[in-house]
Amino acid sequence: MNEICKDRDVAIQEICNCIYGNALPFNLVRSPLFVQMLKVVGEYGKGLKPPTYHEVRVSFLKKAVDNIHKSLEKYKSEWEKWGYTLMCDGWTDGKGSSLTNFLVNSPSGSVFIKSIDTSNVIKDGKNMFKLLDSIVEEIGEENVVQVVMDGATNLVTVGRMLMEKRTKLFWSPCAAHCLDLVLEDIGELLGRELARPAVTRFATSYLTLNCIKQQKNALRSMFASEEWATSSHA
């Protein structure tokens, strides 16, 4: 038993050294894929040669992509049956570039389609419309029920242009973005910010909730006031 434990310690240390040496996130060990990998390696036994650079970069990458495409067939059959929502998720990377992720959501789940650098078109309604219209054309208009994206003024225009051209689909503003705008407006009414950005999104959520708690009485008074009831925010 001691010998087995000793051998395990040696193996685990080597795994950890690989994680440390390549600056891999510690959460990697919680990944089902990581666990499955070790299981298969253990079942193979001694003599397993590690993958070559070419195999990782070309051969098995192509196989992985092919497997993903095959797994999408199940979703596509659902799309034809129930239709789907095209979701546009915009964000800014560390270099300040505006990126937009395009995903398809249906009762069977969400599927990532592609990510595009929209830095040059995000503020241009006409060009953004052309891009979004091309995405709808690419994935098939016949199954698109609605398109969801941020409620920014220029994107509202894009949504309306899309509905004018493709009359069978609807445009809807992103609920999360709308709530974010509402919180910003409430913060301005209270004279202080409610959303406080932090290094991680978890800290941001905590700080935001903490600010809301601190302003609990003021928020109650505001929502009960006649000024709020007659305002455009109500």
Side-chain angles (χ1 to χ4, degrees):
M1 179 64 71
N2 291 335
E3 187 66 26
I4 294 176
C5 291
K6 182 179 179 181
D7 290 343
R8 181 183 183 278
D9 288 346
V10 172
I12 296 300
Q13 186 63 65
E14 290 300 324
I15 293 172
C16 291
N17 288 342
C18 178
I19 292 174
Y20 306 150
N22 291 281
L24 300 175
F26 296 157
N27 277 337
L28 174 65
V29 300
R30 296 176 177 173
S31 168
L33 294 176
F34 180 81
V35 175
Q36 177 64 16
M37 175 192 68
L38 292 183
K39 178 182 177 182
V40 173
V41 170
E43 291 175 349
Y44 185 93
K46 293 183 178 180
L48 175 63
K49 294 182 179 180
T52 65
Y53 179 80
H54 179 78
E55 286 177 327
V56 173
R57 185 173 180 271
V58 180
S59 306
F60 284 84
L61 177 59
K62 184 179 184 303
K63 290 181 180 180
V65 171
D66 290 341
N67 288 335
I68 290 294
H69 285 305
K70 289 179 181 178
S71 68
L72 289 180
E73 293 304 318
K74 177 189 71 173
Y75 292 94
K76 290 181 179 179
S77 63
E78 290 288 327
W79 297 350
E80 295 175 359
K81 183 177 181 180
W82 304 107
Y84 56 78
T85 295
L86 173 62
M87 302 186 298
C88 311
D89 179 27
W91 60 289
T92 304
D93 66 8
K95 297 180 180 179
S97 300
S98 295
L99 305 174
T100 301
N101 296 332
F102 295 92
L103 305 95
V104 165
N105 178 266
S106 68
S108 56
S110 297
V111 175
F112 173 81
I113 301 298
K114 63 172 64 178
S115 183
I116 298 177
D117 185 342
T118 52
S119 301
N120 296 326
V121 300
I122 191 66
K123 295 182 179 180
D124 186 329
K126 184 176 294 185
N127 286 328
M128 192 63 190
F129 161 72
K130 290 180 180 178
L131 173 61
L132 188 58
D133 186 59
S134 68
I135 298 293
V136 172
E137 183 69 28
E138 178 183 337
I139 61 179
E141 176 190 6
E142 63 278 4
N143 297 321
V144 181
V145 177
Q146 68 171 343
V147 176
V148 176
M149 55 186 170
D150 287 353
T153 303
N154 61 312
L155 295 181
V156 171
T157 302
V158 171
R160 290 172 178 169
M161 293 171 66
L162 190 65
M163 286 193 295
E164 288 177 3
K165 179 177 180 180
R166 302 184 182 274
T167 57
K168 293 183 179 180
L169 59 78
F170 297 90
W171 165 80
S172 301
C174 173
H177 184 248
C178 290
L179 288 173
D180 182 58
L181 295 177
V182 168
L183 288 174
E184 288 182 5
D185 289 342
I186 291 175
E188 292 177 1
L189 290 173
L190 295 174
R192 60 172 298 174
E193 61 179 12
L194 288 177
R196 300 175 59 186
V199 176
T200 68
R201 61 187 178 91
F202 305 105
T204 299
S205 299
Y206 173 80
L207 292 172
T208 300
L209 290 173
N210 188 49
C211 286
I212 292 175
K213 181 181 178 182
Q214 291 176 356
Q215 297 297 316
K216 179 173 64 175
N217 293 332
L219 286 169
R220 284 177 174 173
S221 298
M222 184 190 73
F223 284 119
S225 68
E226 182 178 349
E227 182 181 357
W228 170 261
T230 57
S231 73
S232 60
H233 302 286

